[in-house]
Amino acid sequence: MAGGLRIGILVSGRGSNMQAIVDGCADGSIPGAVVAVISDTESAPALERARRAGVEAMFVDPWAYSCRAEFEDAVGDLLEERSVHLVLLAGFMRVLKPGFIRRFKGRIMNIHPSLLPSFPGIEAQRQAIEYGVKWSGCTVHFVDDGVDTGPIVIQAAVPVEDGDTAETLAEKILCEEHRIYPEAVRLFAQGRLVVEGRHVRVLPPRGVV
Ligand code: GRF
């Protein structure tokens, strides 16, 4: 097993962001390794993608537990058993409860397809189109108890052009997601992110003053 940061990724669907992180670890740009991918959806293509990349991929059935907290405890146990230090949400379609967030405090990140705090929640790209904004984008943030409200690590903007639909905008944003999520994970793995209240400061690389 490669050294460095041990990463666990929670997914529900396609898994293109998961793939970008796995690729970043494989090409050495992220000093770490994805050691577990967990999905709440058995048919998530992300699981197959992870297995193809040689990453342990597990389906945890939320309906097998009597409540959400119990399901999240089980997910947390799987991550801890694998000594996961950083938990990434990558298209994970559930809002985590405070108990899980406390357990991995300051060590959970999410990617959201809008320039937060605009358009939190589901269908962010559709919300942006319907609102008529001229720019949208994506945000990597630490996860707190709210929905898409945690301290912001990196954002990238994309223009919304005449004729854009939720689908074309989503495609443009996705390209940026695949760039900034691995970048945020790299900074975390290098110990360069300092959270001060709502603000995330990025320290210079070691050796640079
Ligand atoms: C991405 O747009 C991400 O921002 C959002 O869900 C989507 C997941 O896509 N949270 P993928 O599964 O990573 O391809």
Side-chain angles (χ1 to χ4, degrees), residues 6-208:
R6 293 177 69 83
I7 300 165
I9 308 185
L10 306 188
V11 294
S12 299
R14 178 176 57 184
S16 69
N17 279 288
M18 176 218 73
Q19 187 79 57
I21 307 291
V22 167
D23 292 348
C25 293
D27 72 19
S29 49
I30 298 171
V34 179
V35 296
V37 168
I38 297 176
S39 175
D40 62 344
T41 306
E42 195 166 20
S43 59
L47 287 173
E48 187 45 38
R49 281 179 107 145
R51 289 185 189 119
R52 249 185 283 134
V55 174
E56 185 183 15
M58 291 162 274
F59 161 57
V60 180
D61 185 357
W63 302 104
Y65 300 88
S66 61
C67 63
R68 264 168 63 197
E70 252 184 43
F71 162 73
E72 292 178 14
D73 284 349
V75 170
D77 290 347
L78 289 170
L79 294 169
E80 272 181 2
E81 281 156 22
R82 285 151 186 82
S83 307
V84 163
H85 185 71
L86 177 65
V87 180
L88 301 177
L89 311 184
F92 186 62
M93 299 306 288
R94 285 172 181 274
V95 177
L96 291 162
K97 291 185 77 68
F100 186 94
I101 310 234
R102 257 197 315 277
R103 188 169 176 183
F104 295 93
K105 192 171 164 30
R107 300 187 283 131
I108 311 174
M109 280 191 206
N110 181 42
I111 179 116
H112 182 76
S114 77
L115 292 175
L116 290 170
S118 291
F119 314 128
I122 59 165
E123 299 208 52
Q125 302 94 330
R126 186 167 308 282
Q127 292 184 54
I129 292 287
E130 282 170 6
Y131 197 93
V133 292
K134 299 296 185 192
W135 289 85
S136 191
C138 46
T139 304
V140 179
H141 63 92
F142 283 105
V143 174
D144 65 9
D145 286 355
V147 176
D148 303 322
T149 51
I152 290 170
V153 182
I154 306 184
Q155 294 185 299
V158 307
V160 182
E161 284 144 326
D162 289 349
D164 262 334
T165 61
E167 290 71 30
T168 59
L169 180 60
E171 252 175 64
K172 287 196 272 186
I173 292 175
L174 198 62
C175 282
E176 293 301 306
E177 294 185 35
H178 296 163
R179 187 175 65 77
I180 67 169
Y181 211 2
E183 171 66 7
V185 175
R186 181 175 72 86
L187 293 171
F188 184 96
Q190 292 174 335
R192 291 172 55 196
L193 298 180
V194 181
V195 183
E196 291 162 350
R198 283 218 50 84
H199 299 262
V200 179
R201 208 149 48 83
V202 179
L203 301 176
R206 269 204 199 111
V208 178

